[in-house]
Amino acid sequence: MEKINPVIGRKIDKSTLINLERGKIPPQSVDLEEVVLGAMMIDKKGVDEVIDILHPDVFYKDAHRYIYEAIFKLFESSEPVDLLTVSSQLKKDGRLEAVGGDFYLIKLTQKVASSAHIEFHARIILQKFIQRSLIKISNEIIEEAYDESTDVFDLLDSAESKLYDVTQGNLKRSAETAMDLVIQAKKKIEEISNKEGMSGIATGFDKLDKLTSGWQPSDLIIVAARPGMGKTALTLSMARNIAVDGGQAVAFFSCEMSSVQLITRLISSETGLSSEKLRTGKLEKHEWEQLNVKVKALEKAPLFIDDTPSLSIFDLRAKARRLASQHDIKIIIIDYLQLMTAGGTGKGGNREQEISTISRNLKALAKELNIPVIALSQLSRAVETRGGSKRPLLSDLRESGAIEQDADIVSFIFRPEYYKIDEWDDEERSPTQGQAEFIVAKHRNGGLENIRLKFIGNLGKFDNLDDFDSPFEFQSKMNENEDNPFITKNLPDANQAFGSSMNDLNPDDDNDVPF
């Protein structure tokens, strides 16, 4: 049975009761709560200054919480906020007597003469609320830690999640009203209209961005392919476009390659110097100058790379929360899903169940941080054994059931030249050299499409497929301009620009683009 404190006139929860038994009262500032509420009822400016800072739960006294809820309803309805309107709203809510009647409201307005310093006072009230929240969370953690049946890693994840919510100043609520959600949706639609339809994170690949309107917040995106198709190269190209061109923070978790290898790939892509030259360090003087000049934009890019091997889903969530809090990351990329572990859940099970746990947690992380999460995934060998075009299918996903179910978008990378297929299987029968297909096979909130991209193997880079659909057309354009010495001397040879040593790889090789 809940106890009532005769001094403060409110129910006492378990954590508060523990503190009272120890002779401690939870942090609170009832006097400042009275001053803030009184100021809001006598000065409209006071309402405008604190309405975005406070929410009803921050008030220690129940009566004050009811009064603030009444003020908030009046503000949302664009009605005036004063002694009479607040009293009327409390009557509608059936709470006027619970707060002490009109007499208590009058008493609050008499405590202040203006709304001066109201924002400062409101922030103190918020700080007291955060302190109470931390005390409550700490007591819950202590109680759960004494329970021998509690899994320690689940407890750590739960504790960090709760603390992250407090840090963000956004404690979880049980539900939101339709009115609140409609207002949020309308605001988002207005923002999209100002961004020419780009509501998410632009990848830099024009046709893909047109299809998806950018990677959307809270979405889990799976990019799957066989080894050697260029999964890492594609996502690195995306990360580069988002961080360098878009100036938005990207977190890249690599379970396969070291952070130095990844950044060297990006340097190759950014400078136009081949990976072989960078690996051997055999650069001419002008190439050293080219390197020093062109990496400056990359140096300043908000790109964060973590190369922890065998990363557990628990570690990933902890690291992602810190990066979101400290650096406001806008997207997370994981290379790749099958190299992750479920961590110390203590639940056992086979690999398919473990992958199911990982994919479910990745989707939960995307929703919690409200940012897109891209996870790379391997495909089964069924692609190699199948005849025809060898385009990947949803059934080719390893442990496909859970991944396909949790993902908002499932996509594949397909490069026909990897399988010695020289022509696309379309009416034009155009050459496949230096080209790839980004296949959107599942799209929860949009259409499906096969999007062709340019693949530059010696730079480990993907780009938009320009006006020249193939390297042969590119070469013919060069030949047409033989009379122009600038063009003939400076444009690269088609084979050099588009060739890829990846064609020599064994399809079962577990490495992506060779470096």
Side-chain angles (χ1 to χ4, degrees):
M1 182 177 178
E2 292 177 308
K3 297 186 179 181
I4 304 294
N5 187 324
V7 177
I8 61 176
R10 63 176 287 184
K11 293 177 181 178
I12 308 171
D13 61 26
K14 192 169 185 180
S15 60
T16 305
L17 185 60
I18 292 171
N19 286 319
L20 287 175
E21 289 172 350
R22 293 174 181 171
K24 294 180 180 178
I25 297 177
Q28 39 80 27
S29 183
V30 175
D31 288 343
L32 284 181
E33 291 180 9
E34 293 174 348
V35 168
V36 167
L37 292 173
M40 293 177 80
M41 286 189 285
I42 67 170
D43 191 347
K44 181 182 181 301
K45 183 183 175 184
V47 178
D48 296 334
E49 288 192 14
V50 304
I51 203 74
D52 292 330
I53 299 174
L54 302 178
H55 56 86
D57 291 338
V58 306
F59 289 91
Y60 182 70
K61 196 172 178 180
D62 286 342
H64 294 167
R65 185 162 67 253
Y66 300 153
I67 294 169
Y68 186 82
E69 286 176 351
I71 293 173
F72 196 84
K73 288 177 182 177
L74 291 168
F75 177 82
E76 281 188 317
S77 304
S78 301
E79 295 180 17
V81 176
D82 56 37
L83 182 61
L84 295 176
T85 56
V86 172
S87 174
S88 176
Q89 184 62 49
L90 286 167
K91 283 179 185 176
K92 289 180 185 177
D93 298 339
R95 288 175 168 175
L96 183 58
E97 295 305 317
V99 304
D102 289 329
F103 174 77
Y104 189 71
L105 296 179
I106 293 169
K107 180 182 173 184
L108 292 179
T109 59
Q110 290 176 340
K111 280 185 172 286
V112 289
S114 72
S115 63
H117 312 302
I118 188 172
E119 183 180 350
F120 180 76
H121 296 153
R123 295 199 181 279
I124 294 176
I125 294 171
L126 183 61
Q127 288 171 18
K128 298 296 182 184
F129 168 68
I130 292 173
Q131 286 179 278
R132 294 197 302 273
S133 300
L134 290 172
I135 290 169
K136 181 181 178 183
I137 291 169
S138 300
N139 285 329
E140 289 173 353
I141 293 170
I142 290 169
E143 187 175 345
E144 291 174 9
Y146 275 111
D147 185 353
E148 293 293 337
S149 64
T150 302
D151 185 274
V152 66
F153 292 102
D154 288 343
L155 177 59
L156 278 170
D157 186 58
S158 173
E160 185 160 33
S161 178
K162 290 175 181 177
L163 289 171
Y164 176 78
D165 289 332
V166 174
T167 303
Q168 295 301 99
N170 184 29
L171 291 180
K172 294 177 182 176
R173 301 177 186 178
S174 57
E176 292 181 272
T177 66
M179 179 183 289
D180 291 338
L181 295 172
V182 168
I183 291 171
Q184 291 177 33
K186 285 171 66 178
K187 185 177 180 181
K188 185 175 181 180
I189 293 168
E190 289 174 4
E191 291 174 354
I192 294 170
S193 66
N194 296 329
K195 295 180 181 177
E196 300 180 352
M198 189 60 61
S199 57
I201 305 295
T203 65
F205 299 116
D206 298 336
K207 291 184 179 179
L208 178 59
D209 289 337
K210 185 177 180 180
L211 176 68
T212 63
S213 296
W215 297 136
Q216 300 298 311
S218 79
D219 273 6
L220 173 61
I221 301 114
I222 299 295
V223 178
R226 285 295 294 153
M229 283 290 127
K231 297 186 297 295
T232 304
L234 178 69
T235 47
L236 271 179
S237 297
M238 284 186 189
R240 181 263 166 213
N241 295 340
I242 295 167
V244 177
D245 294 338
Q248 296 175 296
V250 180
F252 198 108
F253 292 91
S254 174
C255 303
E256 184 177 33
M257 298 177 65
S258 72
S259 54
V260 174
Q261 286 176 318
L262 289 173
I263 205 68
T264 307
R265 278 197 182 191
L266 282 172
I267 291 171
S268 174
S269 170
E270 198 72 6
T271 61
L273 300 172
S274 70
S275 57
E276 183 181 353
K277 284 194 172 185
L278 293 177
R279 187 172 64 246
T280 59
K282 295 178 180 178
L283 303 180
E284 302 292 334
K285 183 179 179 181
H286 72 277
E287 290 175 327
W288 280 111
E289 293 174 357
Q290 183 179 341
L291 174 64
N292 292 328
V293 170
K294 291 195 173 183
V295 295
K296 291 189 181 300
L298 188 60
E299 288 174 354
K300 298 175 183 177
L303 175 62
F304 304 90
I305 298 176
D306 187 306
D307 60 358
T308 304
S310 301
L311 185 67
S312 73
I313 188 63
F314 162 72
D315 289 334
L316 172 70
R317 292 179 66 171
K319 289 170 182 283
R321 289 189 191 110
R322 292 190 195 106
L323 285 168
S325 177
Q326 296 171 10
H327 302 289
D328 192 26
I329 56 170
K330 298 299 183 184
I331 188 168
I332 293 172
I333 300 172
I334 301 144
D335 182 13
Y336 56 90
L337 192 148
Q338 279 82 8
L339 289 180
M340 292 184 64
T341 64
T345 58
K347 296 175 183 175
N350 57 32
R351 182 58 180 164
E352 188 171 347
Q353 291 172 327
E354 193 173 18
I355 291 294
S356 175
T357 300
I358 293 168
S359 65
R360 187 169 61 250
N361 276 275
L362 289 178
K363 175 59 182 175
L365 178 64
K367 288 186 68 176
E368 179 184 340
L369 301 183
N370 196 35
I371 60 175
V373 172
I374 300 176
L376 307 190
S377 178
Q378 290 281 30
L379 292 177
S380 68
R381 288 186 173 89
V383 178
E384 264 78 40
T385 59
R386 189 167 56 239
S389 70
K390 298 189 181 296
R391 269 192 182 84
L393 304 172
L394 285 171
S395 58
D396 295 326
L397 277 169
R398 287 183 180 175
E399 300 89 19
S400 62
I403 297 173
E404 185 181 342
Q405 175 183 319
D406 294 327
D408 297 279
I409 295 176
V410 177
S411 58
F412 303 114
I413 304 171
F414 173 55
R415 292 196 305 109
E417 65 172 324
Y418 183 83
Y419 298 107
K420 311 299 183 184
I421 300 173
D422 299 326
E423 295 180 339
W424 288 104
D425 54 355
D426 53 16
E427 293 181 0
E428 292 80 10
R429 309 299 295 180
S430 55
T432 61
Q433 187 179 354
Q435 294 185 18
E437 208 170 47
F438 188 82
I439 304 168
V440 180
K442 175 191 174 182
H443 191 185
R444 187 165 284 163
N445 301 305
L448 308 179
E449 193 173 336
N450 295 355
I451 299 166
R452 290 189 189 173
L453 300 172
K454 181 193 297 181
F455 176 69
I456 308 173
N458 65 328
L459 301 181
K461 176 183 179 180
F462 282 81
D463 205 344
N464 290 300
L465 191 63
D466 55 20
D467 295 334
F468 308 118
D469 292 333
S470 74
F472 303 103
E473 291 183 38
F474 188 69
Q475 184 67 52
S476 66
K477 286 291 181 181
M478 290 172 60
N479 295 335
E480 289 175 10
N481 291 280
E482 285 181 350
D483 294 335
N484 187 327
F486 178 80
I487 293 177
T488 55
K489 289 180 181 178
N490 289 280
L491 288 177
D493 178 79
N495 294 325
Q496 179 186 355
F498 293 89
S500 171
S501 59
M502 293 175 64
N503 295 325
D504 300 327
L505 287 178
N506 186 312
D508 292 333
D509 190 349
D510 285 335
N511 295 318
D512 273 344
V513 183
F515 194 69

